[in-house]
Amino acid sequence: MSDSSLVRRQTEGGIALLTIHRPDKLNALNVQVIKELGQALQEAGADPAAQVIILTGSGEKAFVAGADIGEMASLSSLQAREFSLAGQALANAIDGAAKPVIAAIPGFALGGGCELAMMCHLRVAGPKARFGQPEVSLGLIPGFGGTQRLARLVGEGRALEMVLTGKMIDAQTALAWGLVNRVAEEGSALDAARTLAGEILRQSPAAVSLCLEATRKGCEMPLGEALHFEASLFGVCFATDDMREGTAAFLEKRKPKFSGR
Ligand code: COA
């Protein structure tokens, strides 16, 4: 990682923290950020010292204020398609991650920023966070999955209201609509994300990973097929050391020591 990196990665206490570092542009997503994010996610995924990944933006004002409008303004149609596909590949990488990815959102999460937050498995907002898909005001539509993930998270009516008007909603509305899991105290979005990560870190890493897989993949399947898939992964648990340890620890009235195997 060089000083010119726009995405910084630090691992501590089982958590890989990925920070988008473009504070002068409110952490707007350009081609370089998308590329570095993909790389950082891959590295965090492969790092045995990291069991949970937190994604955030530099500073308190913004998580990410969208795709970089300056860069987008000069893209050709084919380059724009590539840009959208790169964002969607990032979503696929997060979706397929074996470790939970939590977005810590202190401020603006607009356009590609709202979409990036929605790619993550869990979201923690600060009280001043604002969410929106303002692409219509630029003559655009969301291109990193916003027309799809927003409707799945908050319902079609609310998603259409946000996408068609471009208006922002505040953190409490996002909480009420199910767009975020928690709203933290002022200045504490990252701490609250760490707290949430800590609650996951106490569990069996093997089971956490299988829960993610069952839920994420199952959501894309018809219910019958998804339940069958869940049963298969339930069976897989019985081949893990974590399941032996977790059940033994309960019966012996002690805390489990999970190995993640
Ligand atoms: N792309 C590129 N640059 C962006 C950006 C984006 N999406 N969002 C903010 N910036 C830049 C601004 O151009 C400004 O840079 P400058 O100081 O070099 O002029 C800097 O970040 C600070 O933003 P500014 O607009 O001055 O802050 P503000 O407090 O007045 O407003 C926002 C904050 C988030 C409301 C406003 O920046 C905004 O509307 N951003 C665009 C949001 C958007 O449409 N996103 C979807 C893109 S598809």
Side-chain angles (χ1 to χ4, degrees):
M1 191 180 69
S2 70
D3 281 344
S4 59
S5 297
L6 298 180
V7 177
R8 314 230 159 135
R9 181 171 65 90
Q10 282 172 287
T11 304
E12 203 184 329
I15 299 171
L17 175 63
L18 311 187
T19 308
I20 299 170
H21 189 70
R22 268 194 103 192
D24 55 326
K25 295 290 173 195
L26 302 186
N27 305 317
L29 302 173
N30 61 11
V31 170
Q32 190 186 341
V33 172
I34 299 278
K35 192 172 155 215
E36 287 186 23
L37 262 180
Q39 210 173 332
L41 271 164
Q42 203 175 21
E43 287 165 2
D47 181 355
Q51 284 167 36
V52 178
I53 300 167
I54 295 179
L55 178 55
T56 195
S58 193
E60 282 293 308
K61 186 166 173 180
F63 171 67
V64 167
D68 187 317
I69 298 171
E71 191 179 77
M72 269 197 307
S74 61
L75 294 184
S76 69
S77 174
L78 285 180
Q79 285 170 327
R81 186 169 177 274
E82 282 303 308
F83 188 53
S84 172
L85 288 173
Q88 294 183 5
L90 186 64
N92 291 339
I94 297 175
D95 232 12
K99 300 169 185 182
V101 183
I102 304 173
I105 308 156
F108 291 111
L110 303 177
C114 188
E115 292 170 298
L116 182 63
M118 291 191 291
M119 291 174 199
C120 297
H121 303 121
L122 297 162
R123 284 157 290 280
V124 175
K128 290 191 175 157
R130 297 284 178 278
F131 298 82
Q133 297 290 161
E135 285 87 346
V136 274
S137 68
L138 300 166
L140 284 169
I141 72 164
F144 291 170
T147 61
Q148 304 308 306
R149 286 193 184 81
L150 189 58
R152 282 166 170 78
L153 275 168
V154 306
E156 194 179 325
R158 287 164 171 167
L160 276 174
E161 186 179 333
M162 287 177 72
V163 168
L164 298 181
T165 66
K167 283 199 177 139
M168 297 184 210
I169 59 168
D170 63 17
Q172 282 305 331
T173 306
L175 183 67
W177 287 8
L179 183 53
V180 298
N181 297 84
R182 296 179 184 184
V183 177
E185 300 285 312
E186 171 116 38
S188 305
L190 185 53
D191 285 346
R194 285 186 199 280
T195 301
L196 178 55
E199 291 166 23
I200 298 169
L201 282 168
R202 286 196 284 278
Q203 315 307 324
S204 144
V208 163
S209 189
L210 290 167
C211 278
L212 265 185
E213 191 178 347
T215 307
R216 294 304 307 136
K217 288 200 180 140
C219 277
E220 305 305 322
M221 296 175 186
L223 183 61
E225 213 179 295
L227 290 172
H228 194 75
F229 182 56
E230 183 191 76
S232 301
L233 295 187
F234 181 74
V236 168
C237 295
F238 288 71
T240 65
D241 292 346
D242 275 7
M243 182 270 182
R244 302 281 160 231
E245 168 63 10
T247 50
F250 177 82
L251 295 172
E252 291 161 16
K253 301 190 187 303
R254 61 173 173 83
K255 281 198 174 163
K257 281 191 185 149
F258 292 120
S259 64
R261 286 192 295 274

